[in-house]
Amino acid sequence: MFVKTNPYNNDSLIKEFKGLELLNKYIKTAKNCNLNIPKVYSVTKQELVLEKIVYNYPDETQMETFAYSLAKLHELKFNSYGLEYNNYIGLSNQNNIFSNNWGEFFYKYRLLYQVQKIENKIIKEDFLIILNQEKENIIDFLNSNTDYASLVHGDLWSGNVLFSEKIYLIDPAVYFADREVDIAMTEMFGGFSNKFYETYNNILPLSSEYNNKKIIYNLYHYLNHYNLFGDSYLNECNKGLLAIENMNK
């Protein structure tokens, strides 16, 4: 067994368990989706007891299977964006509602929420000015280039995918979103192999505006990392905001 403990007085492990349950439900619904969730033995606010997974470095066959299965999960279509309860992205709160307006949801509950958390008043004010100026452009752009809501892992970097005899997803920050938030996140910290992206794109092609959407989606994670870990992520936040400004010139 693997025991994950929580030193904070919050319900993050409870919400992690709910996220794992939600993923497991729709993994079983998706056709030919060979993803797995570790078995959960027990959960409280203080600890989450999981099946222990022995990690193996993935070969190209497993990477292809992962990409194919993720695409099959992302093919499932849902009526609304967001989630009915708040959860967590790493150590941060992730606020949610259900919404039919994807652009507005992402602007308000992802970008604006993180900027409003910034402690440095000057940086916060500078970022708010840019966000306010670009609000309608961001909302309209995302709505115009997103087809439907998918269930996303929400924190899909390489450390949250475990390759063993099977392929496991762990530590989710689930919600219903543009599926490309997951693909964008995979590119932040080294990404996966070329085979992963080739296979995914063959099954479920990325949108023509993916490269611009990726900037907006990953800005959320850079802002979150800045709020959590400090100035080493500030440059990426500035680059993301500048790129958003330049999209509309």
Side-chain angles (χ1 to χ4, degrees):
M1 294 183 291
F2 175 81
V3 180
K4 184 174 182 178
T5 59
N6 179 20
Y8 306 101
N9 186 28
N10 63 32
D11 62 348
S12 61
L13 294 181
I14 303 294
K15 295 298 174 60
E16 182 175 339
F17 168 65
K18 291 184 69 172
L20 291 170
E21 281 194 314
L22 190 63
L23 281 173
N24 194 44
K25 175 182 177 180
Y26 289 108
I27 283 170
K28 291 179 178 178
T29 301
K31 185 177 181 180
N32 298 323
C33 180
N34 292 306
L35 298 175
N36 298 272
I37 301 301
K39 181 177 179 181
V40 178
Y41 294 103
S42 64
V43 60
T44 66
K45 283 189 174 183
Q46 286 71 45
E47 68 175 29
L48 176 63
V49 183
L50 299 162
E51 171 189 4
K52 186 175 182 179
I53 308 300
V54 178
Y55 179 85
N56 296 316
Y57 192 81
D59 58 25
E60 288 295 79
T61 299
Q62 276 197 312
M63 196 58 72
E64 186 175 9
T65 299
F66 172 46
Y68 178 90
S69 298
L70 183 65
K72 289 299 177 182
L73 178 62
H74 284 168
E75 278 183 342
L76 298 178
K77 298 180 180 181
F78 297 88
N79 293 327
S80 299
Y81 299 97
L83 198 64
E84 64 184 339
Y85 56 86
N86 297 336
N87 55 4
Y88 296 81
I89 176 76
L91 298 174
S92 297
N93 293 323
Q94 183 168 260
N95 287 354
N96 296 299
I97 60 165
F98 272 133
S99 174
N100 293 320
N101 188 319
W102 167 240
E104 186 175 76
F105 174 88
F106 196 84
Y107 176 87
K108 182 176 180 180
Y109 290 93
R110 296 297 180 260
L111 299 180
L112 184 61
Y113 175 75
Q114 285 292 335
V115 169
Q116 288 173 333
K117 289 179 63 176
I118 293 174
E119 294 181 356
N120 185 303
K121 292 182 179 179
I122 295 174
I123 293 173
K124 178 179 178 178
E125 185 61 30
D126 287 345
F127 284 10
L128 281 174
I129 289 171
I130 297 172
L131 270 190
N132 287 332
Q133 288 175 343
E134 300 298 326
K135 177 179 178 179
E136 295 306 319
N137 290 328
I138 292 171
I139 291 172
D140 291 345
F141 174 75
L142 293 182
N143 285 338
S144 298
N145 292 284
T146 302
D147 293 329
Y148 61 90
S150 299
L151 176 64
V152 299
H153 178 281
D155 195 8
L156 196 64
W157 68 289
S158 58
N160 285 338
V161 184
L162 299 183
F163 295 90
S164 185
E165 292 181 2
K166 299 177 181 179
I167 303 168
Y168 294 86
L169 299 180
I170 62 169
D171 202 13
V174 296
Y175 62 112
F176 298 96
D178 178 2
R179 63 188 174 88
E180 292 180 343
V181 302
D182 269 351
I183 305 305
M185 178 65 175
T186 69
E187 296 194 53
M188 280 186 65
F189 301 114
F192 295 107
S193 70
N194 289 336
K195 175 62 74 173
F196 168 82
Y197 297 102
E198 290 171 5
T199 303
Y200 185 94
N201 204 44
N202 285 337
I203 302 300
L204 199 56
L206 297 173
S207 65
S208 61
E209 290 289 345
Y210 168 72
N211 286 330
N212 284 326
K213 291 164 75 180
K214 176 174 66 175
I215 294 168
I216 298 172
Y217 294 155
N218 284 348
L219 176 59
Y220 168 55
H221 296 295
Y222 284 126
L223 287 166
N224 181 46
H225 279 69
Y226 171 65
N227 281 322
L228 288 173
F229 307 119
D231 287 346
S232 61
Y233 290 96
L234 181 57
N235 186 50
E236 293 296 337
C237 295
N238 280 314
K239 285 167 60 177
L241 286 164
L242 178 62
I244 289 171
E245 285 185 298
N246 289 334
M247 284 179 201
N248 299 296
K249 288 183 179 179

